């Protein structure tokens, strides 16, 4: 991709953005059910401490599950001891409802593996300092499980833009069987890191809740989202720049705005998006289905090797969108349109579906 672009008239002769959209899909808009033999969602429950490891119960550090006593200080102390352990460590939040304020859980750790086992409910206060409720930073070999719930108490303060769980440069993580409810803003954010798996996750927020994306990610690789239910007021899954090797399988989405790649091209030096595989997913009562979006007059961006396979859509307003004219809130300043070619191939769809009624291409030229 040539980045030494020169204007020629009102268009660019070179291509500052390229989308290679591979739709290997069977789109069904009539609410068909998956056949037998599809992987289900096995029951989850509290996982035991790692074999031979140490157990750190937050109640031993002063936490009280009365929904009134802030356990953040107790949790940070338990994390510090677990992080310093020379054997695998498990931090336990037992049954009960534990109030918890802003909490930063940072590495690197000596422990070869840390498990954060949430058996009860962790409840957020009305206000949180900063933009993140729970931050996991620079941690390797992290497990989060236990079948518990993070309750963001979002409806009263949706405009405060506080994220529930943020994973900064976390690698080799397995998050399983937990619930994120009513986040104040994004539920999960992944920035940097490698090899993170989210399995049997439940994410819920009202359909009219603003900016409550389920899982948002950027500049990370080898991400898997499996066997999960996501219903929010925004994108169920949103993919920012620099994501490679993303697998989304057996995810139900709705309500919300569907599964989105982008928006891309807003900032300089964005990293390419490549190797996106979305398979065996169902979207119900969403505004959009599958969407790729980029700004029309901003920076170079590149998205390629994107696969949507066996996607079922029920009552989806805009099933498939490739939008290179994305410009919310009338913020676009440059009146010169940048030409960005899109290639779609290997498209397979239900013969009952008139694809022209469901595929929307915005900001493209006739070529």
């Amino acid at each position: 991709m040539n980045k030494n672009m020169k204007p020629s008239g009102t268009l660019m002769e070179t291509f500052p953005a390229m989308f290679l959209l591979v739709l290997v899909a069977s789109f069904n808009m009539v609410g068909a059910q998956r056949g037998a033999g599809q992987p289900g969602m096995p029951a989850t429950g509290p996982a035991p401490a790692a074999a031979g490891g140490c157990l750190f119960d937050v109640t031993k550090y002063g936490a009280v599950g009365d929904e009134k006593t802030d356990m953040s200080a107790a949790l940070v102390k338990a994390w510090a001891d677990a992080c310093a352990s020379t054997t695998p460590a498990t931090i336990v939040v037992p049954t009960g409802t534990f109030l918890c304020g802003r909490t930063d859980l940072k590495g690197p750790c000596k422990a070869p593996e840390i498990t954060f086992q949430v058996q009860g409910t962790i409840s957020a206060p009305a206000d949180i300092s900063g933009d993140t409720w729970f931050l996991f930073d620079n941690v390797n070999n992290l497990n989060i499980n236990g079948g518990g719930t993070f309750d963001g108490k979002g409806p009263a303060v949706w405009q405060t833009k506080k994220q529930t769980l943020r994973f900064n440069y976390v690698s080799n993580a397995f998050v399983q069987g937990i619930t994120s409810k009513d986040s104040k803003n994004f539920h999960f954010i992944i920035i940097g890191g490698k090899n993170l798996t989210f399995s049997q996750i439940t994410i819920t927020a009202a359909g009219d809740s603003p900016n409550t994306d389920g899982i948002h990610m950027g500049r990370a690789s080898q991400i898997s989202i499996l066997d999960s239910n996501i219903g929010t007021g925004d994108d169920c899954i949103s993919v920012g720049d620099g994501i490679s090797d993303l697998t989304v399988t057996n995810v139900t989405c709705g309500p919300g705005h569907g599964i989105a790649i982008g928006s891309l091209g807003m900032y300089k030096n964005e990293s390419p998006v490549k190797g996106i595989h979305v398979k065996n997913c169902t979207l119900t009562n969403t505004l959009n289905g599958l969407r790729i979006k980029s700004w029309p007059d901003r920076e170079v961006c590149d998205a390629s090797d994107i696969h949507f396979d066996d996607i079922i859509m029920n009552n989806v307003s805009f099933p498939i969108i490739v939008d290179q004219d994305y410009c919310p809130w009338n913020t676009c300043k440059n009146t010169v349109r940048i030409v960005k070619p899109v290639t779609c191939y290997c498209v397979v769809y239900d013969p009952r579906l008139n694809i022209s009624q469901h595929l929307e291409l915005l900001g493209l030229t006739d070529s």
Side-chain angles (χ1 to χ4, degrees):
M1 180 166 52
N2 184 5
K3 296 185 179 181
N4 298 317
M5 298 170 291
K6 298 179 180 180
S8 176
T10 59
L11 299 177
M12 296 289 190
E13 291 180 336
T14 54
F15 302 136
M18 174 73 77
F19 285 154
L20 175 58
L21 173 63
V22 184
L23 296 176
V24 186
S26 176
F27 295 110
N28 190 329
M29 309 298 176
V30 295
Q33 301 297 316
R34 286 202 179 91
Q38 292 291 346
M41 296 184 64
T44 62
C54 298
L55 193 68
F56 302 87
D57 187 328
V58 294
T59 61
K60 306 300 183 183
Y61 291 81
V64 180
D66 60 1
E67 203 174 0
K68 298 178 182 179
T69 306
D70 188 342
M71 79 159 181
S72 55
L75 178 55
V76 168
K77 290 178 182 178
W79 176 269
D81 287 350
C83 188
S85 173
T86 57
T87 60
T90 298
I91 300 169
V92 176
V93 179
T95 57
T97 300
F98 293 81
L99 180 69
C100 191
R102 164 73 184 259
T103 304
D104 293 351
L105 304 176
K106 296 184 177 183
C109 293
K110 291 183 180 179
E113 181 179 44
I114 293 184
T115 297
F116 184 38
Q117 188 178 109
V118 181
Q119 300 174 5
T121 296
I122 300 178
S123 180
D127 192 22
I128 297 170
S129 61
D131 62 2
T132 301
W133 182 19
F134 271 82
L135 170 66
F136 293 91
D137 182 68
N138 194 23
V139 182
N140 186 36
N141 294 325
L142 171 69
N143 302 309
I144 303 177
N145 56 38
T149 297
F150 291 84
D151 186 351
K153 300 291 184 180
V157 286
W158 272 324
Q159 299 299 334
T160 60
K161 298 184 178 180
K162 313 289 185 177
Q163 307 149 10
T164 292
L165 294 180
R166 184 180 179 109
F167 299 86
N168 272 11
Y169 303 99
V170 172
S171 296
N172 304 311
F174 190 70
V175 183
Q176 180 183 34
I178 64 170
T179 295
S180 177
K181 174 185 176 185
D182 291 335
S183 176
K184 291 174 168 58
N185 195 250
F186 290 9
H187 288 259
F188 297 166
I189 288 189
I190 306 163
I191 300 295
K194 182 178 181 180
N195 189 28
L196 291 88
T197 297
F198 297 81
S199 177
Q200 302 166 40
I201 301 301
T202 300
I203 295 175
T204 62
D208 61 350
S209 56
N211 299 316
T212 53
D213 293 49
I215 302 177
H216 176 75
M217 64 197 77
R219 305 208 172 197
S221 63
Q222 299 179 23
I223 309 298
S224 297
I225 304 171
L226 313 172
D227 303 318
S228 296
N229 296 308
I230 305 175
T232 71
D234 212 298
D235 297 329
C236 292
I237 298 170
S238 57
V239 179
D241 77 292
I243 290 297
S244 62
D245 299 325
L246 167 66
T247 299
V248 179
T249 304
N250 287 335
V251 169
T252 61
C253 168
H257 293 177
I259 297 173
I261 298 172
S263 58
L264 302 175
M266 185 175 183
Y267 303 104
K268 291 183 178 181
N269 303 318
E270 289 189 358
S271 298
V273 173
K274 59 184 178 181
I276 310 300
H277 297 265
V278 181
K279 184 175 182 180
N280 292 341
C281 294
T282 298
L283 295 89
T284 301
N285 298 326
T286 59
L287 177 64
N288 307 308
L290 309 169
R291 180 168 58 155
I292 303 176
K293 52 185 178 178
S294 69
W295 292 80
D297 60 350
R298 299 293 179 93
E299 303 297 331
V300 172
C301 61
D302 182 14
S304 63
D305 189 19
I306 300 169
H307 303 252
F308 299 113
D309 183 3
D310 187 19
I311 308 299
I312 297 175
M313 299 189 192
N314 306 305
N315 193 29
V316 174
S317 300
F318 303 100
I320 309 167
I321 302 175
V322 179
D323 182 2
Q324 298 194 96
D325 222 356
Y326 181 73
C327 187
W329 316 296
N330 297 318
T331 54
C332 296
K333 297 179 181 179
N334 194 342
T335 58
V336 177
R337 181 177 303 283
I338 297 176
V339 177
K340 293 170 282 187
V342 173
T343 300
C344 300
Y345 67 91
C346 296
V347 178
V348 182
Y349 57 90
D350 192 306
R352 295 170 293 178
L353 172 63
N354 183 344
I355 196 69
S356 64
Q357 294 178 355
H358 300 286
L359 173 61
E360 186 169 3
L361 304 176
L362 305 174
L364 306 182
T365 65
D366 291 339
S367 61

